[in-house]
């Protein structure tokens, strides 16, 4: 069981550390809003990774087939949201980093979690990636429910560990960037997210 857990842990960490639109989004949120905002956003991704990992690990064929059947429209919705998000980020003015959030903070954190969760779940082929990599790691045939649970737990904790590292590292920049650098982060993040959105649309075509 320990070996299965460690394999899941390593896979979850590497998967989360791979640069993609969610990586860019979490980095920007951390720089602009602080480590907590980045961490909560990362947890949305970690939960989504664990859910898709569970579908692959527990062999939930019916659910996997259903999600894959919805791939086109889910990818379309996800791509459209990435376009909106990228354009909004590109045009955003640098945040007033020392402004008090007050009562709006919990709602913002919840929105941060839900947006990354939804965007990550809008990519059903992730299930196929999990299944293929699990097979490559020798996890293709889970010997028991307990074994599958250990693997999924490892995936979640590995992914969460990366987002803790990113939030802690990028969080050191929070409040230290001048308006020009903060604007540069917004532009670079917006263009990168738009690039991933157009790549997703190209995949559909």
């Amino acid at each position: 069981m320990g070996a299965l857990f460690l394999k899941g842990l390593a896979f979850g960490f590497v998967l989360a550390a791979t640069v993609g639109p969610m990586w860019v989004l979490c980095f920007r949120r951390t720089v602009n809003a602080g480590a907590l905002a980045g961490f909560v956003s990362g947890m949305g991704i970690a939960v989504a990774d664990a859910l898709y990992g569970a579908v692959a690990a527990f062999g939930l064929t019916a659910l996997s087939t259903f999600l894959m059947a919805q791939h086109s429209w889910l990818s379309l919705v996800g791509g459209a949201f990435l376009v909106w998000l990228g354009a909004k980020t590109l045009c955003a003015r640098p945040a007033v980093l020392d402004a008090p959030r007050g009562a709006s903070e919990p709602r913002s954190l919840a929105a941060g979690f839900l947006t990354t969760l939804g965007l990550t779940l809008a990519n059903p082929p992730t299930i196929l990636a999990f299944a293929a990599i699990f097979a490559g790691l020798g996890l293709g045939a889970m010997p028991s429910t307990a074994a599958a649970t250990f693997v999924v737990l490892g995936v979640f904790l590995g992914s969460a560990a990366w987002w803790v590292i990113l939030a802690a590292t990028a969080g050191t920049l929070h409040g230290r960037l001048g308006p020009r650098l903060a604007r540069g982060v917004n532009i670079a993040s917006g263009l990168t997210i738009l690039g991933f959105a157009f790549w997703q649309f190209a995949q559909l075509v």
Side-chain angles (χ1 to χ4, degrees):
M1 293 296 183
L4 293 175
F5 173 77
L6 290 176
K7 287 181 178 181
L9 188 72
F11 174 54
F13 185 87
V14 171
L15 180 69
T18 303
V19 177
M22 297 298 95
W23 194 104
V24 175
L25 177 60
C26 288
F27 176 82
R28 177 184 174 269
R29 283 181 177 174
T30 304
V31 171
N32 281 355
L36 180 59
F39 171 73
V40 171
S41 295
M43 287 303 97
I45 302 168
V47 169
D49 285 343
L51 289 174
Y52 274 154
V55 172
F58 287 99
L60 302 176
T61 306
L63 179 57
S64 176
T65 301
F66 171 78
L67 290 171
M68 289 303 301
Q70 314 307 316
H71 165 54
S72 294
W73 76 264
L74 283 174
S75 294
L76 186 62
V77 170
F81 188 81
L82 284 177
V83 169
W84 174 82
L85 188 63
K88 180 181 177 182
T89 301
L90 186 62
C91 298
R93 293 183 176 181
V96 180
L97 299 178
D98 57 352
R101 297 190 187 91
S104 67
E105 184 177 65
R107 184 170 57 184
S108 297
L109 292 176
F113 175 86
L114 292 174
T115 53
T116 53
L117 175 68
L119 281 169
T120 307
L121 289 177
N123 189 27
T126 303
I127 297 173
L128 299 181
F130 270 101
I133 294 174
F134 282 175
L137 292 174
L139 307 177
M142 297 293 174
S144 65
T145 300
T149 301
F150 270 93
V151 171
V152 173
L153 179 61
V155 168
F156 172 75
L157 292 179
S159 180
W162 167 254
W163 298 118
V164 169
I165 292 171
L166 179 69
T169 304
T172 61
L173 300 175
H174 176 57
R176 297 186 179 185
L177 297 182
R180 183 171 297 181
L181 283 177
R183 176 63 180 149
V185 169
N186 285 350
I187 292 174
S189 299
L191 290 174
T192 303
I193 292 172
L194 284 172
F196 280 114
F198 293 137
W199 178 80
Q200 184 159 321
F201 285 138
Q203 294 280 83
L204 284 174
V205 174

